[in-house]
Amino acid sequence: MADAISRFPQVTDLDSLPADVRDRILAVQEKAGFIPNVFLMLAHRPDEFRAFFAYHDALMERDSDSLTKAEKEMIVVAVSADHGCLYCVVAHGAILRILAKDALIADQIAVNYRTAPIGERQRAMLDFALHLAANRGVLDDSWQARLEDMGFTQGDIWDIGSIAALFGLSNRLVSMARTPPNDEFYLLGRVPRAAAN
């Protein structure tokens, strides 16, 4: 934790954190093999850390009506790429590669989701996410009809919009703090885990 991962106060001693925040960080470290920088960047404000990850988990970990976890990560990657957020493109690109079992998909979506090898349903999902996140668009009757014709429920549409909105917040915070992605993220989902260590 010696390198600066934020322009703001940086946690250098996990034992100085409230127990629940520390335990969350240690659980992630146990699972991933490292502590993602965003956890340390947010930990200097424990209440905001808790609120951010509670909303993150409520959206990203819950079972949607029809969105897969990989599709949720596609939204994060596409929105983050449009916002120029290196951290979220790299970190969530790694998660997407793992969930999709596809070493190329995250890069293809980040560069141009319109030409990525995804289905029309997924393209419509990303079109709507970017309509909201980049174009300050709204859910009007034509968008709702288009999405419903693709099989998305109202719950799915809410999830798409909420994920786009949450990662607008995340992208801005990480960019403001100038938090870099961990080196470990670059290889996840590209090479076997043992080779990446």
Side-chain angles (χ1 to χ4, degrees), residues 28 74 95:
V28 168
M74 287 179 185
I95 298 168

Side-chain angles (χ1 to χ4, degrees), residues 94-157:
I95 298 168
L96 174 56
R97 287 191 299 272
I98 292 166
L99 292 172
K101 296 178 177 46
D102 183 337
L104 306 178
I105 193 65
D107 297 325
Q108 294 164 330
I109 287 175
V111 171
N112 186 353
Y113 76 89
R114 292 169 191 88
T115 61
I118 58 177
E120 286 305 309
R121 179 180 185 277
Q122 293 166 333
R123 201 170 325 283
M125 171 188 77
L126 297 179
D127 283 345
F128 181 61
L130 271 292
H131 167 71
L132 297 174
N135 301 326
R136 295 183 286 167
V138 298
L139 175 63
D140 58 20
D141 291 343
S142 63
W143 267 111
Q144 186 156 351
R146 179 180 173 195
L147 293 167
E148 288 175 351
D149 286 346
M150 290 286 179
F152 292 108
T153 66
Q154 276 196 323
D156 292 328
I157 295 167

Side-chain angles (χ1 to χ4, degrees), residues 51-134:
F52 178 86
F53 284 110
Y55 195 47
H56 171 278
D57 294 351
L59 288 172
M60 302 301 286
E61 299 298 327
R62 71 178 285 278
D63 289 333
S64 293
D65 293 340
S66 72
L67 292 180
T68 66
K69 287 187 178 184
E71 287 172 331
K72 291 178 180 185
E73 295 296 340
M74 287 179 185
I75 297 167
V76 177
V77 171
V79 167
S80 299
D82 186 72
H83 292 165
C85 181
L86 179 65
Y87 185 96
C88 291
V89 168
V90 172
H92 289 273
I95 298 168
L96 174 56
R97 287 191 299 272
I98 292 166
L99 292 172
K101 296 178 177 46
D102 183 337
L104 306 178
I105 193 65
D107 297 325
Q108 294 164 330
I109 287 175
V111 171
N112 186 353
Y113 76 89
R114 292 169 191 88
T115 61
I118 58 177
E120 286 305 309
R121 179 180 185 277
Q122 293 166 333
R123 201 170 325 283
M125 171 188 77
L126 297 179
D127 283 345
F128 181 61
L130 271 292
H131 167 71
L132 297 174

